[in-house]
């Protein structure tokens, strides 16, 4: 979702960034302020750098207000995207000579002919309202460019909502029924519902461990297929050349 902007900013893990991981998210905000945005003076970044603090969300909320971000703390994806856009602008401003000679990416005639979105008037109020309604309905992240949002909507529909995608999603494998009363939990939470939930979680965990063991076995077999035919020199009593 943020990969292109993170790559442009030389973030260490642009493909694996997860803004829903609280620790990773807080560290990312600190990195963004320290390295790219630099809105605060160094001594004023203390609260933002105090990542384990329970008061950190308030500090982040104040930070969003100070940089004039139009999104709130609750709108995490939108605020991250906005901050990344701000950081990219600052990055360009700090390195104008480096980027001014880069050729702009322009669409070819074939791409323009094949992409009907290019001919849309993105400034039309009805168009904006329609795109925003679809984005809210499909829970698509908001973006300043309505054409970008429309492209995201199109990709989601093509990948998730076509008849082929829906038919594929419905082809789920049904597992065998399990009698929970035949599986001993090993401890008692004092609540029958919680006990059942714990049993289910344990069974799911065992299933994951079995899958992991299967993959390990497959890896061992693959390695053995490579090294299982060594040349033996019986005179030396050694295996190898």
């Amino acid at each position: 979702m943020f990969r292109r902007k993170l790559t442009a900013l030389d973030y260490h893990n642009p493909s694996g960034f997860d803004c829903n991981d609280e620790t990773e998210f807080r560290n990312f905000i600190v990195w963004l302020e320290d390295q790219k945005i630099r809105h605060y003076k160094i001594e004023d970044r203390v609260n933002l750098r105090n990542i384990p603090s329970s008061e950190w969300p308030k500090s982040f909320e104040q930070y969003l207000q100070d940089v004039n971000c139009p999104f709130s703390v609750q709108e995490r994806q939108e605020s991250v995207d906005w901050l990344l856009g701000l950081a990219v602008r600052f990055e360009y401003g700090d390195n104008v000579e480096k980027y001014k000679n880069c050729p702009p990416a322009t669409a070819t005639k074939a791409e323009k002919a094949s992409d009907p979105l290019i001919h849309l008037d993105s400034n039309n109020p009805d168009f904006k309202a329609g795109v925003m309604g679809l984005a809210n309905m499909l829970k698509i992240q908001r973006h300043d460019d309505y054409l970008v949002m429309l492209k995201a909507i199109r990709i989601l529909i093509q990948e998730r909502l076509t008849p082929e995608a829906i038919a594929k999603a419905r082809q789920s494998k049904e597992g065998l029924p399990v009698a929970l009363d035949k599986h001993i939990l090993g401890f008692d939470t004092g609540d029958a519902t919680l006990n059942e939930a714990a049993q289910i979680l344990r069974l799911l965990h065992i299933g994951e461990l079995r899958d992991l063991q299967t993959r390990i076995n497959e890896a061992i077999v693959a390695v053995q297929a490579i090294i299982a035919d060594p040349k033996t020199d019986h005179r030396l009593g050694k295996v190898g050349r």
Side-chain angles (χ1 to χ4, degrees), residues 49-97:
R49 287 175 172 174
N50 190 10
I51 292 172
S53 173
S54 59
E55 298 296 317
W56 192 90
K58 293 182 180 179
S59 301
F60 179 56
E61 183 177 13
Q62 183 62 49
Y63 178 69
L64 292 179
Q65 294 175 4
D66 291 341
V67 296
N68 297 317
C69 177
F71 301 108
S72 66
V73 175
Q74 289 73 27
E75 299 170 301
R76 178 170 291 191
Q77 292 185 343
E78 290 83 355
S79 60
V80 167
D81 188 66
W82 189 89
L83 289 172
L84 283 171
L86 179 65
V88 168
R89 290 196 293 272
F90 287 153
E91 180 74 9
Y92 176 80
D94 291 341
N95 300 276
V96 175
E97 295 298 322

Side-chain angles (χ1 to χ4, degrees), residues 30-43:
V30 173
W31 173 83
L32 201 62
E33 167 60 19
D34 281 346
Q35 302 296 325
K36 304 299 177 180
I37 298 178
R38 300 189 290 275
H39 180 78
Y40 287 159
K41 295 180 180 179
I42 295 178
E43 58 270 20

Side-chain angles (χ1 to χ4, degrees), residues 25 28 35 51 68 87 111 128 136 165 169-170 173 181 186 194 205 209 211 214-215 237 239:
F25 169 70
F28 163 74
Q35 302 296 325
I51 292 172
N68 297 317
E111 289 174 338
K128 291 182 177 180
N136 292 335
R170 287 175 176 173
K173 297 181 180 179
D181 56 347
L194 288 178
H205 180 57
L209 289 178
D211 290 339
T214 300
R215 293 178 185 178
V239 176

